[in-house]
Amino acid sequence: MRQSTSTAPARVPASQRHAQGRPALSDSDLLRWGRVACERPASRGEFAAWLAGPVTEFFPCRHVLVAQWEHFAGEVRVAQWLQAGDPDAGPGEPADAFELDAQPLLGQWMRRPQPLCIDPADPPEFASISERALLARMGRTAVHGLVGARARNATHLRFSGVPHAFTNWHGAALAMMAPLLHALAQQLLPVGDDASIGSIAQLTRRQREIVRAVARGHDDKSIARTMGISDKTVRNQLSEVYGLLGLSRRTQLAALLI
């Protein structure tokens, strides 16, 4: 008799469980979102009320965060943000800036901007301690948005306190909602003109610190003094940065970062 070679199914990470269970969007869902879109707000105040009302009625959750990010040399600056709903289910006031390396869940989303649904009872293994603690307070959390060219800018959407287990519906709904929420964030939470930047993800942490210092107008001596390294080390690091980014001199780097 032929023996079975079947094995136990692979464990599916919590961040991917929206791809199971309940079917994706129905015609009724599309009509409902169409009605929500027709009520689109025209001011920041209306935006908050719209998120807390029609949007959370369509996508049930206790709290919504919409943020406009500027990503630069491994640092994310929160340029604009808006929260709506129950503050007890939200992340609190966002920090002005943070190192993306310290937020691996957000770093994963920036590198691969797909709908991310996270159950705090079973978070991804790479989540940091601080992210796990925040998830424990916020409850089931869904993340999506749109990332600009070369990951320079991003609209970050976070829905927390989701009452039901994640299914395929949540991922499909996030993908459908994101373009409109992104457009409204750009219109009602403006952060200035978009700017392209070379691939800085390949730089080391020290190189990213030096690049940020150059953008702030510091010369080699002041950078060396602040970082506790020699002037020669700063020059050597900048030379490597120029090569990695396809540049030849400091003025080009400064112009790219303006």
Side-chain angles (χ1 to χ4, degrees):
M1 179 181 295
R2 185 176 180 179
Q3 293 182 339
S4 172
T5 59
S6 63
T7 59
R11 178 178 177 273
V12 179
S15 60
Q16 299 177 11
R17 289 180 186 166
H18 61 273
Q20 305 178 61
R22 177 181 171 184
L25 301 173
S26 65
D27 290 343
S28 175
D29 292 322
L30 299 178
L31 290 173
R32 288 172 57 218
W33 179 245
R35 288 194 291 269
V36 173
C38 287
E39 301 177 31
R40 57 189 300 166
S43 68
R44 186 186 181 101
E46 290 180 3
F47 195 10
W50 183 72
L51 291 171
V55 170
T56 57
E57 289 174 8
F58 175 79
F59 192 95
C61 63
R62 295 174 56 199
H63 185 275
V64 183
L65 168 69
V66 178
Q68 292 279 70
W69 287 353
E70 292 182 330
H71 179 214
F72 164 51
E75 181 182 69
V76 171
R77 185 175 76 88
V78 183
Q80 287 272 15
W81 56 273
L82 181 67
Q83 302 193 65
D86 182 358
D88 290 339
E93 182 172 334
D96 292 336
F98 59 89
E99 286 278 350
L100 201 56
D101 287 348
Q103 303 284 343
L105 277 176
L106 297 181
Q108 159 109 347
W109 176 77
M110 285 287 288
R111 289 186 294 272
R112 186 175 178 271
Q114 300 293 326
L116 185 64
C117 300
I118 310 159
D119 190 327
D122 188 15
E125 294 179 356
F126 56 82
S128 67
I129 294 175
S130 61
E131 287 176 321
R132 290 169 184 262
L134 186 60
L135 287 168
R137 184 168 65 81
M138 295 191 304
R140 294 188 187 92
T141 298
V143 173
H144 197 26
L146 290 177
V147 176
R150 301 185 182 181
R152 180 68 175 88
N153 294 332
T155 298
H156 176 73
L157 311 171
R158 187 182 305 180
F159 303 82
S160 53
V162 176
H164 306 296
F166 289 120
T167 68
N168 189 44
W169 182 90
H170 292 89
L174 287 169
M176 179 177 65
M177 296 161 63
L180 176 57
L181 293 176
H182 168 70
L184 288 171
Q186 289 195 314
Q187 175 188 347
L188 303 176
L189 308 174
V191 297
D193 296 333
D194 191 12
S196 333
I197 190 167
S199 178
I200 291 183
Q202 59 192 312
L203 304 185
T204 66
R205 180 182 291 271
R206 172 177 284 184
Q207 288 170 342
R208 295 199 300 265
E209 291 177 3
I210 292 173
V211 167
R212 290 200 291 266
V214 169
R216 298 184 185 109
H218 297 298
D219 60 20
D220 290 353
K221 288 186 180 296
S222 65
I223 295 173
R225 186 168 55 252
T226 300
M227 296 182 63
I229 56 179
S230 68
D231 296 2
K232 183 179 179 180
T233 298
V234 174
R235 291 193 297 271
N236 289 342
Q237 291 291 306
L238 282 173
S239 294
E240 290 187 25
V241 169
Y242 299 154
L244 290 168
L245 299 183
L247 307 175
S248 60
R249 60 182 65 89
R250 190 189 198 94
T251 52
Q252 291 177 319
L253 179 61
L256 183 66
L257 300 174
I258 293 175

